[in-house]
Amino acid sequence: MPLDGKFKKDWKVTSSYGYRVHPIEGHKKHHNGVDLWGPKPKIWIEAWHDGRVLYAGPSRLKNADGSLGGIGYYVDVRSKINGKWFVSRYGHMVEDSLKVVKGQKITAGTRLGIMGNTGASAGRHLHFEICKGLSLIHISEPTRLLSI
């Protein structure tokens, strides 16, 4: 799982994949991942699967005021699972908390960074998404990931 702890005990889904009213923009917009939140003040984000880090750093997007936008500080990991390629994205991490670098080979459970509120975010959480090839995977329930 992408967060330290147990699903529904230590963390929960706060926004699912699909259309929703965007918490900042205030209009209906597609959400490409799932948002996860937990009450502990420091929650480590962990790699969902073995892989190689494609990117670790700040979003290239900016807010209207010039501040960091998009998914803030994030990590992309490329994994080969049952002969198929996936990219998992972990967003909104605390600045200076990233523990991996581009090109690094990692294993499932590797600490990537700390849940934060960077970028275009309405509160502390992890934005987690997975692409299979170029297609986003509908993640309505994090436990579904175990069956991929």
Side-chain angles (χ1 to χ4, degrees):
M1 293 284 90
L3 290 175
D4 185 30
K6 294 187 183 290
F7 177 51
K8 295 186 179 176
K9 179 180 182 239
D10 298 307
W11 50 273
K12 65 181 182 177
V13 174
T14 56
S15 186
S16 296
Y17 176 95
Y19 283 95
R20 66 174 184 173
V21 174
H22 192 279
I24 295 173
E25 298 174 15
H27 59 85
K28 194 172 184 179
K29 189 173 181 180
H30 194 272
H31 186 231
N32 293 333
V34 61
D35 290 343
L36 307 172
W37 173 88
K40 293 180 183 175
K42 182 177 183 181
I43 297 177
W44 284 99
I45 296 170
E46 300 174 344
W48 160 68
H49 206 278
D50 299 350
R52 188 169 302 275
V53 176
L54 293 177
Y55 182 79
S59 170
R60 293 167 186 86
L61 299 175
K62 300 291 181 197
N63 292 320
D65 65 1
S67 63
L68 182 64
I71 58 171
Y73 287 88
Y74 73 102
V75 173
D76 281 347
V77 176
R78 185 174 184 212
S79 304
K80 193 171 190 178
I81 305 168
N82 298 326
K84 297 180 178 130
W85 288 104
F86 294 83
V87 174
S88 49
R89 174 167 285 176
Y90 310 80
H92 301 299
M93 288 189 249
V94 171
E95 183 177 4
D96 297 326
S97 76
L98 301 184
K99 298 293 182 194
V100 295
V101 295
K102 182 179 178 179
Q104 182 178 340
K105 189 174 180 181
I106 61 172
T107 57
T110 297
R111 286 184 168 182
L112 304 176
I114 297 170
M115 181 189 291
N117 186 27
T118 59
S121 172
R124 186 178 67 91
H125 71 284
L126 164 65
H127 172 86
F128 180 58
E129 62 185 65
I130 299 176
C131 290
K132 180 179 177 184
L134 298 176
S135 301
L136 284 164
I137 295 176
H138 179 155
I139 307 170
S140 57
E141 186 77 24
T143 54
R144 180 181 181 275
L145 299 175
L146 300 174
S147 65
I148 292 178

